[in-house]
Every structure is written in structure tokens, then in C-alpha cells.
Amino acid sequence: MNGISIRRITREDAAALAEIERECFSDPWSEESLKYEAENPSACFVCAEEEKRIAGYIGMHYVLDEGYIANVAVTAAYRRRGVASGLIREILTEAEKLSLSFVSLEVRVSNAAAIALYTKFGFESLGLRKGYYEHPKEDAVIMTYYLKKEG
């Protein structure tokens, strides 16, 4: 990730993040939703940027000691350059700072690259959410990373 830094998102980033959403997802989040998340006290959204250009972002909501990754998105120009790995590393660091027990996410069953990436970081597949995604309709794999081991 030479030349790429990671920082918290701001409301001013919302337009660029919404553009990445439209590029990456069939049901993208709106600019207004992203503005809200920039100031949401129960969320941690960070972006990767190079020379003031946002390459991607990751967002996590948390309640009590549970974290839920909402989105991981990297623009096509920055894929396969370690951006997603850097974002995941950062969100797991934030989860540790927040003393979360686990971080969970859903990923399309057909997204083998993302599943492999999450597995590399230690996320475990815990089951399926049938019909979770729309456009196209698809199941989601539930993957969880445990920060605190039970017992």
C-alpha cells in the first residue's frame, strides 16, 4: 500500500464514497447514508486514500461488545494492491480498541475472492443467510472473527 493512507471518513467524503458504492454494489448506499455514518457514534468507517483520491472504504457498526462490518468496497483501479487488506487490518485494530468480542459480516456465496481474503484474516464461516442479497438474489455466508476466545 505504498503511498496509501487510512483515516476516518468525514461528511465531505460522502460523494466519493457513494460513487464507489455505485461501482461496487447492486444496491448502493446513498450519499446521505454515508454522511450519517461519518458522524454515527456507534460506527467506525475508515477510508484508504492516495493523493486525496479515495481508493476504498470499510464500515463497522458496533453495539456492546459486538461488531458488524457493513461494507468493504475498493474501486477497480485499486484492487489487488492490498487496499482491502489494509482496511480490514484497520477495522480489526479499531475493534480491539473498542474491546469487541467479535466482528461479523455477510458476503455473497459467489464472492470467492472476498471469502478467501476474510479467511486469510482469520474469519470463520458460521453459516448461511438464505436469500440475503437482492439484484441478483443470492445467499450470504456469515463470517466471524473472534477477538476474545471463550473460556
Side-chain angles (χ1 to χ4, degrees):
M1 279 195 12
N2 284 350
I4 297 176
S5 59
I6 296 178
R7 63 169 175 79
R8 289 270 184 147
I9 69 165
T10 66
R11 289 177 59 83
E12 291 73 28
D13 297 322
L17 297 174
E19 190 175 314
I20 293 169
E21 278 281 314
R22 288 188 296 276
E23 177 187 335
C24 295
F25 302 118
S26 59
D27 286 320
W29 285 23
S30 70
E31 192 172 326
E32 282 305 309
S33 294
L34 292 158
K35 282 180 183 175
Y36 171 80
E37 296 301 350
E39 297 173 347
N40 182 348
S42 298
C44 176
F45 278 65
V46 297
C47 66
E49 71 177 354
E50 180 179 53
E51 298 175 7
K52 305 282 185 206
R53 181 174 177 204
I54 296 178
Y57 83 99
I58 189 169
M60 175 181 69
H61 296 105
Y62 51 89
V63 60
L64 302 173
D65 67 342
E66 303 174 1
Y68 298 93
I69 293 177
N71 290 347
V72 181
V74 177
T75 190
Y78 285 92
R79 291 188 190 141
R80 312 221 41 90
R81 291 180 52 188
V83 173
S85 291
L87 290 167
I88 292 167
R89 229 178 267 109
E90 181 68 21
I91 213 72
L92 293 177
T93 297
E94 291 296 323
E96 278 187 43
K97 290 178 189 173
L98 292 164
S99 299
L100 300 183
S101 293
F102 67 85
V103 175
S104 190
L105 57 82
E106 291 90 8
V107 59
R108 285 183 180 271
V109 294
S110 64
N111 194 342
I115 292 168
L117 178 63
Y118 301 138
T119 300
K120 180 182 93 173
F121 274 92
F123 282 79
E124 301 171 31
S125 176
L126 297 182
L128 293 178
R129 290 198 199 284
K130 294 284 189 189
Y132 183 77
Y133 290 103
E134 300 286 340
H135 311 112
K137 192 77 159 167
E138 190 172 358
D139 297 343
V141 178
I142 303 164
M143 299 189 77
T144 302
Y145 176 88
Y146 293 96
L147 288 101
K148 297 177 186 173
K149 299 296 180 195
E150 304 233 0

